[in-house]
Amino acid sequence: MADKTNELKLAFAEALSKVNTMEELENLRVEYTGKKGYITGLMQEMKNLSPEEKKVFGQTVNVLKDEVNEKITEKREELKKKELEAELARMPEFDISMPPTLKRGSYHPITLVQRQCEEVFKSMGFAIEDYSEIVTDYECFEALNIPKDHPARDMQDTYYLENGQLLKSHTSAAQNAIYKKYKDALINEGKPIKAIFPGRCFRNEATDACHENTFFQMEGVMVDKNISISNLIFFMKTMLSEVFQKDIKVRLRPGFFPFVEPGFELDISCLICGGEGCPSCKHSGWLELCPCGMIHPEVLKAGGIDPEEYTGFAFGLGLTRLAMMKYGIKDIRDLNSGSLKSLSQFTDDK
Ligand code: FA5
């Protein structure tokens, strides 16, 4: 029996020396120490021995078992180390000259203010929609009650593409698609349409401290039975007090937009100069922030909604100007400057 133990020990050592992978090692472990393994087999053979022989042989087999387990553990560590070394060899070299405290990235102030607005409207049951930057003439104008050659088209100097499409000059361009998307749920299930859709807009404009040729707006619409101007004012006020976390002076004055009737201009007292007048507000003390109004019956009709039965409001919040006011940025052009030094200071470093 002692010879058998020795033979097994030698055979194990030889087999172990040929193991190169974790899988091979596991197979070897099962072959020797598993339930049907050689060592367990030796134990079973003990039943034919005398009690004295059993004692001696039992101890020898236990020593062998311990040795085998120990060697397997050592081999496992060795293989793990080799795997790690191979993995490191495959990785690109580290640049050890890199500073250990690289600054983390930050969100653009417009992204921050957009997310705040989205949270506020989400909490009031509004869906958040995304819409393309290239739209059709129908979406941007005709569906909004602005037919071809209508003078209202001059209010926005639009970039046209060669194929007749255009760069969205306002987020209102998504209104028609939103009405069409949600109208069935409104008509058949009585679910009001409540959606906001932030987006980048483009206009061929001379730039100054409060005008950019590329800026962000956030459109919002609500359509249901019996929606009135009071609903519109409630949502506007809630949004502004949540975003600014303080009382903000606003004024509502009549405004003309062919897609609303009546229409309003909602201005905010300039937070850069405290209403005294400065270049950021064109020295008026007020900044045009969020035109709005009751959706024109023709616009509802174009969206497949019966204006006799449903009414709604729409607003077009100037997100870029909101970011200026919220973060005290005096010149709108800084927001498109790409200057990390100035734009990275607004992300909370949590
Ligand atoms: C519109 O674009 C309408 N579509 C808004 C609207 C929607 C009215 C729904 C009624 C109902 P306006 O051109 O005024 O309106 O632009 C809306 C807001 O976008 C402005 O108050 C301003 O805050 C912002 N804005 C407009 N042009 C610029 C610009 N060149 N640079 C920065 N912000 C701008």
Side-chain angles (χ1 to χ4, degrees):
M1 289 301 266
D3 284 352
K4 265 195 177 175
T5 324
N6 260 338
E7 266 171 34
L8 213 52
K9 193 171 165 179
L10 290 173
F12 173 75
E14 201 190 335
L16 188 69
S17 70
K18 291 180 185 156
V19 162
N20 285 315
T21 66
M22 283 288 190
E23 196 186 343
E24 288 169 4
L25 183 66
E26 179 58 13
N27 290 341
L28 190 68
R29 186 191 68 75
V30 173
E31 201 179 337
Y32 278 80
T33 63
K35 267 188 198 160
K36 293 181 186 162
Y38 297 131
I39 295 177
T40 321
L42 277 183
M43 290 285 202
Q44 278 159 5
E45 286 180 27
M46 280 202 309
K47 59 180 179 276
N48 307 323
L49 300 177
S50 67
E52 285 77 34
E53 283 173 324
K54 253 188 207 164
K55 196 175 164 204
V56 176
F57 185 68
Q59 276 172 357
T60 317
V61 175
N62 274 336
V63 170
L64 174 65
K65 196 174 173 187
D66 287 348
E67 273 180 23
V68 164
N69 280 331
E70 206 174 301
K71 291 256 168 6
I72 286 175
T73 309
E74 275 171 18
K75 189 77 180 183
R76 190 175 291 125
E77 291 309 311
E78 184 192 316
L79 288 175
K80 263 193 208 162
K81 205 170 150 216
K82 273 193 188 155
E83 272 180 9
L84 186 67
E85 279 166 2
E87 174 125 11
L88 285 175
R90 281 195 300 273
M91 279 168 75
E93 273 185 35
F94 290 110
D95 179 357
I96 52 166
S97 66
M98 251 179 159
T101 51
L102 265 187
K103 245 189 133 255
R104 284 164 57 197
S106 58
Y107 288 111
H108 193 281
I110 298 176
T111 306
L112 291 173
V113 94
Q114 176 180 326
R115 289 192 178 169
Q116 286 163 9
C117 292
E118 286 178 357
E119 283 311 310
V120 177
F121 280 101
K122 225 165 39 177
S123 72
M124 297 190 290
F126 281 71
I128 299 161
E129 292 286 342
D130 193 15
Y131 208 66
S132 53
E133 291 178 351
I134 295 176
V135 295
T136 60
D137 186 274
Y138 177 80
E139 291 170 304
C140 204
F141 298 119
E142 287 186 48
L144 293 168
N145 198 29
I146 314 177
K148 285 206 165 60
D149 305 322
H150 191 287
R153 289 198 178 203
D154 298 339
M155 289 161 78
Q156 300 170 4
D157 199 346
T158 309
Y159 292 108
Y160 284 88
L161 307 181
E162 279 173 2
N163 66 4
Q165 290 185 309
L166 47 100
L167 295 183
K168 178 169 80 183
S169 56
H170 56 171
T171 42
S172 305
Q175 277 196 28
N176 188 258
I178 299 292
Y179 300 140
K180 285 177 176 159
K181 176 173 175 184
Y182 290 106
K183 74 175 166 46
D184 289 342
L186 171 74
I187 297 164
N188 303 328
E189 298 160 40
K191 278 192 189 159
I193 300 179
K194 288 166 96 177
I196 54 165
F197 25 111
R200 200 193 310 259
C201 304
F202 309 85
R203 290 185 198 174
N204 181 24
E205 290 201 0
T207 60
D208 59 28
C210 59
H211 288 87
E212 253 294 8
N213 49 30
T214 307
F215 57 96
F216 283 80
Q217 289 184 343
M218 192 181 77
E219 194 89 356
V221 293
M222 177 170 185
V223 182
D224 199 0
K225 290 186 175 162
N226 304 317
I227 295 292
S228 71
I229 294 171
S230 330
N231 298 105
L232 165 64
I233 294 171
F234 166 79
F235 284 111
M236 294 289 91
K237 271 189 170 168
T238 309
M239 186 271 297
L240 289 173
S241 63
E242 287 290 322
V243 168
F244 287 101
Q245 295 287 314
K246 62 176 177 184
D247 274 345
I248 297 293
K249 221 163 119 188
V250 293
R251 73 176 183 191
L252 204 62
R253 60 193 167 91
F256 171 71
F257 301 91
F259 33 96
V260 284
E261 181 55 43
F264 304 97
E265 286 282 2
L266 188 144
D267 303 334
I268 171 172
S269 173
C270 180
L271 296 174
I272 304 288
C273 60
E276 297 281 308
C278 68
S280 310
C281 58
K282 283 209 203 146
H283 303 282
S284 70
W286 295 94
L287 201 72
E288 284 178 13
L289 185 70
C290 187
C292 49
M294 299 304 292
I295 303 165
H296 195 286
E298 288 302 323
V299 175
L300 286 176
K301 253 193 244 171
I305 297 166
D306 180 0
E308 297 289 323
E309 206 172 334
Y310 298 97
T311 50
F313 66 74
F315 62 84
L317 174 73
L319 262 188
T320 306
R321 287 197 188 158
L322 188 64
M324 282 174 77
M325 292 295 109
K326 166 98 186 174
Y327 296 112
I329 297 165
K330 290 189 180 134
D331 195 315
I332 197 169
R333 290 164 292 195
D334 289 342
L335 288 161
N336 280 355
S337 68
S339 156
L340 289 183
K341 195 167 170 229
S342 51
L343 295 174
S344 64
Q345 51 185 308
F346 305 105
T347 297
D348 284 350
D349 217 1
K350 280 178 194 152

